[in-house]
Amino acid sequence: MKKSGSIQDSLSSCIAEAASIDYLLPLLLRRVAESRNISLSDLEIACLAAGIRDAKDGEIHLELDLPCALGSTKDEIQASVQGFIEDLKGAIPFIQNELEDAVYQVVAETLPKVAQDISSHISDRNLEHLQKLKRVHEDRVASVLRLWGEAIEQLDILRHMVLDWSSMALGQRQGTYAKPNTAFALHKLAQRAYEIVGEVIVLIRAGYADGALARWRSLHEVCVIAMFLTHRSDRCAEMYLAHHWVEELRLLEVDKGSGTAHSFNSHRDNYTRDLRAKVAALSSKFGAVFTGDYGWAATELACKRTTFRDLECQVGLETLRRGYRQANSTVHGGALATLTRISLGPGVADSADAPLAHGCEIAANYTTASLSMMVAELCLEAGDADLLVTSMVVHNQALKIREQIERVQKHLAGNSPRSRMLSRRAAQRESRLKKTGRKPRQQ
């Protein structure tokens, strides 16, 4: 691929050619001829330009037949040429537009040509390039699986356990699942959590730690909402489910306001009108607060406005607030996520030397914690032995994952440059003590 400097050099060369004396001199001569009311043919302009350009020692030789537009004799032609030369400088401002058009034309023609050359070069070598990218990706995946493979597999099993637990609870209709709207909402949230954890696992396996943390953010929100609904009335779950009409109407209105909708027709207009009527009816039923962000929760809590942070505090998940804020930076393009990797910690600039597998355990740990705490909360009112035992199995699985992650983290800490240096110094000190016959000092 051409470097940016070589592309600029190519463009500068083409612009220089467009602004060369070979291009400008005929333009200037034609302008002078017009000001002198002399009609010169293209051939005469070319001969005059060549003569001026090739002049030696002030002598200009023209290959023109007499008589011509410049005169009938050599003396007349010489006088006309001398007048042209004197007027050339004054004609420069009058060809400014022609010069700008020429440069614009050069840019318009040169850049697409250079881009096409680069595209052709990439196409010719794309197989080699793709093979290199594939090797890099394979190395990244191998590094992740070597460190976190066991924990990842156990996390995949955990998400299936949680979904099975929810399906069992839905069938038993016990505890919080005895309420119809709540049971339906909780099972839908469990299904969504199952899919999100699958996405987290895929990203972790590929070594995309920041992406995995960003998806965990969605899982955290799903778990908080599920836990909030668990301790609320069935009417709250009804409002939560009905709030999708409010969210859909907002999307349609954004489409119409920004012109991003694919098409507008009578069917779509009728649907939007019916949707507005439905939302208005819901607002009358539940109150004006219902149509706001988290309006279903604000209505339940009898307050004018509710935020996700409020829901988080209601269910006691402030323990994961730090991870949520960190994930927010990743999702919203914050400077922290732009300048660092989640594996390096705050205040440490990103570095190409950082192992690609580092940081994947962070999203895995948070994901495990979210699933475990959600099931524990949903199980509080369950009286069925099968549900209670299954929830215990879920917690045991989560504990196993955390222990696996902790073991790898300890191993990595022992393999750090500082720990290796300390171990080496300790070995050297012990060797010296053995040589002198002295016993190691007791700590």
Side-chain angles (χ1 to χ4, degrees), residues 325-355:
R325 290 292 298 271
Q326 191 174 16
N328 283 346
S329 178
T330 300
V331 171
H332 299 306
L336 176 64
T338 300
L339 300 177
T340 68
R341 271 188 251 166
I342 63 172
S343 57
L344 302 178
V348 182
D350 197 0
S351 169
D353 298 329

Side-chain angles (χ1 to χ4, degrees), residues 146-216:
R146 185 170 59 252
L147 291 177
W148 314 113
E150 186 177 355
I152 293 171
E153 295 302 326
Q154 295 301 326
L155 180 58
D156 202 1
I157 294 173
L158 178 62
R159 74 177 180 128
H160 285 84
M161 287 181 174
V162 171
L163 186 60
D164 289 343
W165 184 92
S166 180
S167 299
M168 187 185 302
L170 187 65
Q172 294 286 350
R173 294 289 181 180
Q174 291 195 8
T176 191
Y177 277 77
K179 298 176 286 188
N181 290 309
T182 304
F184 180 75
L186 291 179
H187 190 58
K188 283 295 182 182
L189 287 166
Q191 289 177 328
R192 178 130 189 262
Y194 174 86
E195 294 295 331
I196 295 173
V197 176
E199 295 168 9
V200 170
I201 290 172
V202 169
L203 290 166
I204 291 176
R205 280 177 174 154
Y208 294 112
D210 289 273
L213 185 66
R215 291 310 296 139
W216 167 78

Side-chain angles (χ1 to χ4, degrees), residues 27-28 31-32 34-35 87-99:
L27 291 179
L28 291 169
R31 180 64 189 180
V32 172
E34 291 174 357
S35 66
D87 291 349
L88 282 178
K89 185 176 182 180
I92 291 177
F94 295 98
I95 65 165
Q96 187 70 32
N97 291 336
E98 289 89 340
L99 181 58

Side-chain angles (χ1 to χ4, degrees), residues 9-21:
D9 290 343
S10 298
L11 181 61
S12 298
S13 177
C14 293
I15 292 176
E17 183 178 344
S20 66
I21 190 66

Side-chain angles (χ1 to χ4, degrees), residues 235-407:
R235 183 173 182 268
C236 182
E238 179 189 0
M239 289 189 292
Y240 169 73
L241 296 170
H243 203 262
H244 85 276
W245 298 115
V246 176
E247 296 170 18
E248 184 176 357
L249 179 59
R250 287 178 181 176
L251 289 176
L252 291 176
E253 289 176 340
V254 168
D255 284 342
K256 193 166 186 178
S258 62
T260 56
H262 293 298
S263 62
F264 294 103
N265 49 47
S266 57
H267 175 74
R268 186 184 181 90
D269 290 340
N270 291 336
Y271 180 73
T272 303
R273 185 169 55 253
D274 292 342
L275 196 56
R276 287 198 186 98
K278 186 184 293 292
V279 170
L282 290 171
S283 179
S284 299
K285 178 180 179 180
F286 298 122
V289 175
F290 173 78
T291 57
D293 292 334
Y294 295 102
W296 54 274
T299 302
E300 175 71 12
L301 295 173
C303 57
K304 293 183 178 180
R305 182 175 178 270
T306 298
T307 65
F308 177 75
R309 180 68 184 274
D310 297 329
L311 301 186
E312 202 176 42
C313 294
Q314 286 282 332
V315 300
L317 275 187
E318 300 95 328
T319 54
L320 299 179
R321 166 56 46 173
R322 183 186 185 281
Y324 185 71
R325 290 292 298 271
Q326 191 174 16
N328 283 346
S329 178
T330 300
V331 171
H332 299 306
L336 176 64
T338 300
L339 300 177
T340 68
R341 271 188 251 166
I342 63 172
S343 57
L344 302 178
V348 182
D350 197 0
S351 169
D353 298 329
L356 294 173
H358 283 213
C360 292
E361 76 281 7
I362 297 177
N365 234 337
Y366 279 136
T367 301
T368 302
S370 292
L371 291 178
S372 178
M373 286 188 282
M374 181 181 73
V375 171
E377 198 74 16
L378 299 186
C379 196
L380 286 179
E381 299 181 16
D384 183 78
D386 290 340
L387 289 177
L388 293 173
V389 169
T390 303
S391 71
M392 293 178 186
V393 174
V394 169
H395 300 319
N396 289 338
Q397 180 72 7
L399 179 61
K400 183 188 299 184
I401 295 171
R402 287 194 289 269
E403 289 174 347
Q404 289 168 349
I405 292 174
E406 187 176 350
R407 282 198 300 271

Side-chain angles (χ1 to χ4, degrees), residues 223-234:
C223 291
V224 166
I225 291 173
M227 293 166 69
F228 180 81
L229 293 177
T230 298
H231 299 288
R232 294 293 161 179
S233 65
D234 198 49

